[in-house]
Amino acid sequence: MAQSPSDRHPHYDVTDYHINGVYPNATELKIAAVPDNRLFLGSSYPFDEDCVPEELILKAWRGERSSCQLAVYTGYAQAKLRVSCSPLRMGNEEIAATASMVRYTKAGQRITADIIGSEKECSHSAGAHRPIWYAVDVPQDAQPGTYRGTMTVSAPGCEPVVQQVTLEVLPATLPEPGDWKIHLDLWQYPYSVARWHDVEPWSDAHFAIMRPLMKRLAEAGQKCITCTLLDEAWNAQTYDWYPSMVRWVRGKDGVMRYDYSVLDKWLHFMHDEIGIREQISCYSMLPWHLSIKYYDEQSGEEAVVKAEPGKPEFEAMWAPFLRDFHRHMQEKGWAEKTCIAIDERPDRMVREAMRLVRENAPLFRIASAVDKPSELTREVYNISPVITHADSALGPLLRERKAEGKITTFYVCMQPLVPNTYTTSAPAEAEWLGIFAAANHLDGFLRWAYNAWNRNPLQSTDFGYWTTGDCFLVYPGNRSSIRFERLRDGIEEYEKINQLRARASESPEAAAIIDSMNTRLAALFTVERSSLREHAADVRSARSIIEETLTALNAQ
């Protein structure tokens, strides 16, 4: 049975964004690679000047995903387009490739190409270039060497256009995503999935729909499971309500009891089936509204208590909960992975929460996103400052935290405007973020929303006062995005850098090669340079540095 309207936001209309029109034959087809530019409806780029067809050249490690955006031009008529691609071949060796249409969605005052689906055909209008996403997942056992193949776009009424593709597989291997080192923390919103697909939350149908979406996240190196301990920890900042996964019930005897059945379903699914197993992030002892809702058996109604740090109610409500929750997570074998997660709260509040956790749940730790590091940063197990203040967490403080086994990441959200992962951001900005983390020896990256969908993301990525696209990186129906794929590219570069650094102990010459790589990357990927809009050039430079380092190490 689907959720009732009273339990969710108003129902959306199941309509996709289309460019209206009729579809006669095309008069001409052209194709061009557009790796680093976002395509907007109405722009003539990249066909605003003569485009000479060029071979698409990709390079990848074994175990890496290599991809590129291309654009197709259809002349002045409208057309039905179809894309296909051959395998990439080297002698008897063969690697599969995929190509699919990229869909447009509204982004503020513009319409941008971002949604990567699985469609091989589309009806296409004059005046709009059709983006295509080409991707190759290189097997870990692929033979190094040069592979060649084609991608073909056809339309009735004209000759097909053929894009030549060359893939150079380099003699190095990335581990499986489950073994990647990056601490990736993209927050999940399971209720958005239930609402969009009109299924009962936590039903078999709900989990079946979430399975491929969360697998996609795990295959990007995700380490954290997002959980809620109470209703609307972020004070209703998203389109969908985010209820508590723990039901608080005050019995007629006055004793508070806790029902963990929803939380357990979610954790077994994400931890045991999806394979995200490093951290369980529980939001939050410090919700933005500082309130706890519970069911009162005596009155038969919901009740709310204000629980502000420093007031008696805070300890009265949280201390017994922490003791019971700690016991429960110990029984499940999850206690040492559990973090009480905090989002941008004042130090005085965080200190009070930390005290209660130490006293009542000693195996739990604290994870906190902060605007900028403070003295409290030394004490928090997992800290994540915004990128514009990330430099204050580097140097001796970062080395100290690493020596103590603590995690230090960084985040972007509504700030800064650049670099970011909005639907108006240049694609290279997303990849730049992962390399920034690696270049500065940070443990990873945090972003507040993997899939906090608005009313209809296939029509628009706008929501409320958020910058367009801020609320989600993927789309309903397990559709990826150019933003998410480029972010994943940056994560793969992060892993390559880690793999190369591990080889510094091979010899003094290897150590010198790695020192050179570190110095060159650190000069490019700085907080000061992050806003210069040189992200595409920086990413190309980083890829060259990584390849040169690999070549030098292998030549020893």
Side-chain angles (χ1 to χ4, degrees):
M1 179 179 176
Q3 260 184 307
S4 66
S6 61
D7 292 331
R8 64 177 177 181
H9 289 273
H11 200 285
Y12 64 96
D13 296 319
V14 190
T15 56
D16 295 347
Y17 178 74
H18 290 297
I19 304 168
N20 295 324
V22 294
Y23 308 104
N25 292 347
T27 58
E28 181 182 17
L29 285 178
K30 294 181 181 178
I31 193 166
V34 193
D36 295 319
N37 291 78
R38 182 162 290 285
L39 296 182
F40 293 98
L41 189 66
S43 170
S44 58
Y45 178 85
F47 302 103
D48 49 358
E49 53 187 41
D50 288 339
C51 269
V52 178
E54 295 182 355
E55 185 176 22
L56 176 61
I57 299 175
L58 304 173
K59 294 184 179 182
W61 286 22
R62 292 171 292 192
E64 182 180 357
R65 177 176 299 164
S66 187
S67 56
C68 186
Q69 177 184 234
L70 299 102
V72 175
Y73 166 84
T74 62
Y76 294 101
Q78 298 168 318
K80 290 187 176 180
L81 299 179
R82 186 177 189 280
V83 64
S84 61
C85 57
S86 73
L88 295 156
R89 296 186 175 91
M90 180 183 70
N92 293 326
E93 301 292 328
E94 187 174 292
I95 299 175
T98 62
S100 56
M101 302 296 178
V102 179
R103 298 176 60 174
Y104 285 91
T105 185
K106 294 178 182 177
Q109 300 302 309
R110 308 190 75 177
I111 298 174
T112 184
D114 190 57
I115 307 168
I116 303 173
S118 57
E119 297 91 347
K120 309 298 181 187
E121 298 182 358
C122 73
S123 296
H124 181 63
S125 293
H129 305 321
R130 174 55 58 185
I132 294 173
W133 192 255
Y134 181 87
V136 183
D137 284 321
V138 182
Q140 288 188 307
D141 60 355
Q143 290 295 315
T146 302
Y147 295 72
R148 290 184 170 84
T150 58
M151 185 186 80
T152 302
V153 180
S154 59
C158 62
E159 289 294 317
V161 62
V162 178
Q163 174 69 56
Q164 301 293 325
V165 182
T166 294
L167 171 69
E168 184 179 352
V169 177
L170 302 174
T173 306
L174 281 179
E176 294 284 353
D179 296 322
W180 289 356
K181 301 301 182 186
I182 193 167
H183 190 87
L184 182 64
D185 187 5
L186 307 181
W187 299 355
Q188 308 101 57
Y189 291 77
Y191 290 96
S192 286
V193 179
R195 184 265 306 171
W196 173 270
H197 292 280
D198 201 16
V199 295
E200 186 71 26
W202 316 119
S203 63
D204 288 347
H206 187 200
F207 284 112
I209 293 166
M210 287 195 292
R211 191 166 289 113
L213 187 69
M214 297 307 166
K215 276 288 187 184
R216 182 184 297 280
L217 179 60
E219 289 167 2
Q222 176 74 6
K223 296 298 187 294
C224 305
I225 307 170
T226 308
C227 307
T228 50
L229 302 178
L230 36 68
D231 280 358
E232 285 298 347
W234 298 278
N235 205 23
Q237 70 173 358
T238 53
Y239 182 84
D240 292 287
W241 297 115
Y242 207 148
S244 177
M245 294 179 182
V246 178
R247 187 165 186 253
W248 298 53
V249 179
R250 173 163 285 166
K252 293 181 179 179
D253 57 3
V255 176
M256 192 74 76
R257 298 179 178 85
Y258 315 97
D259 180 353
Y260 302 109
S261 56
V262 167
L263 179 70
D264 289 348
K265 282 184 179 182
W266 173 239
L267 288 178
H268 279 298
F269 171 71
M270 293 292 282
H271 184 280
D272 300 342
E273 184 174 345
I274 301 301
I276 299 173
R277 295 174 178 153
E278 187 169 303
Q279 180 175 309
I280 299 170
S281 303
C282 300
Y283 292 91
S284 170
M285 286 178 66
L286 301 175
W288 292 0
H289 47 65
L290 295 175
S291 300
I292 300 171
K293 186 169 77 173
Y294 63 91
Y295 179 75
D296 189 332
E297 287 187 340
Q298 184 67 41
S299 66
E301 297 179 348
E302 300 285 347
V304 177
V305 62
K306 198 79 170 178
E308 185 176 339
K311 301 291 181 66
E313 294 83 2
F314 187 74
E315 186 157 354
M317 294 298 290
W318 282 109
F321 170 79
L322 285 170
R323 289 192 291 271
D324 192 77
F325 188 39
H326 188 260
R327 171 199 58 77
H328 179 78
M329 298 303 269
Q330 281 185 295
E331 291 174 357
K332 290 288 187 178
W334 297 330
E336 293 182 347
K337 301 179 180 185
T338 300
C339 285
I340 299 300
I342 297 168
D343 186 18
E344 297 180 338
R345 299 284 83 194
D347 279 5
R348 63 177 180 81
M349 291 187 178
V350 177
R351 286 192 182 280
E352 188 66 12
M354 290 174 68
R355 178 184 67 80
L356 282 188
V357 171
R358 282 195 296 265
E359 292 174 0
N360 297 281
L363 293 179
F364 290 179
R365 293 178 285 195
I366 298 290
S368 179
V370 296
D371 178 51
K372 61 193 300 185
S374 66
E375 278 302 310
L376 193 60
T377 299
R378 283 187 158 80
E379 302 175 44
V380 175
Y381 164 66
N382 184 334
I383 199 79
S384 188
V386 69
I387 188 173
T388 48
H389 293 139
D391 51 355
S392 56
L394 304 178
L397 177 58
L398 181 59
R399 290 192 291 272
E400 175 188 316
R401 289 180 55 79
K402 283 183 177 290
E404 295 172 354
K406 294 175 179 174
I407 294 171
T408 311
T409 67
F410 76 99
Y411 74 89
V412 297
C413 56
M414 282 187 70
Q415 56 173 310
L417 182 63
V418 174
N420 220 301
T421 59
Y422 306 136
T423 34
T424 51
S425 299
E429 292 178 34
E431 185 168 350
W432 196 95
L433 297 169
I435 306 174
F436 172 84
N440 290 283
H441 300 269
L442 292 162
D443 295 303
F445 173 68
L446 177 150
R447 208 177 192 310
W448 76 272
Y450 175 60
N451 67 308
W453 294 328
N454 61 7
R455 184 170 180 264
N456 191 346
L458 299 182
Q459 286 185 320
S460 172
T461 58
D462 299 350
F463 177 68
Y465 54 82
W466 303 108
T467 307
T468 189
D470 194 36
C471 298
F472 49 90
L473 288 164
V474 292
Y475 292 86
N478 189 32
R479 294 174 172 95
S480 189
S481 71
I482 292 175
R483 299 173 290 145
F484 182 74
E485 293 301 320
R486 290 300 296 268
L487 178 64
R488 192 183 186 280
D489 287 345
I491 292 166
E492 289 183 324
E493 300 304 323
Y494 181 104
E495 296 303 322
K496 291 178 188 178
I497 292 166
N498 269 350
Q499 292 280 309
L500 295 173
R501 283 174 176 160
R503 296 183 61 179
S505 60
E506 291 178 0
S507 67
E509 292 78 13
I513 292 167
I514 296 304
D515 282 345
S516 174
M517 177 189 75
N518 288 338
T519 300
R520 295 167 71 190
L521 290 173
L524 283 173
F525 292 85
T526 66
V527 172
E528 293 75 19
R529 283 184 50 78
S530 67
S531 61
L532 296 183
R533 298 186 185 271
E534 297 289 338
H535 306 96
D538 289 350
V539 167
R540 288 193 295 271
S541 295
R543 291 178 179 178
S544 295
I545 292 168
I546 291 167
E547 184 178 349
E548 290 164 13
T549 302
L550 174 64
T551 300
L553 288 171
N554 288 347
Q556 289 186 95

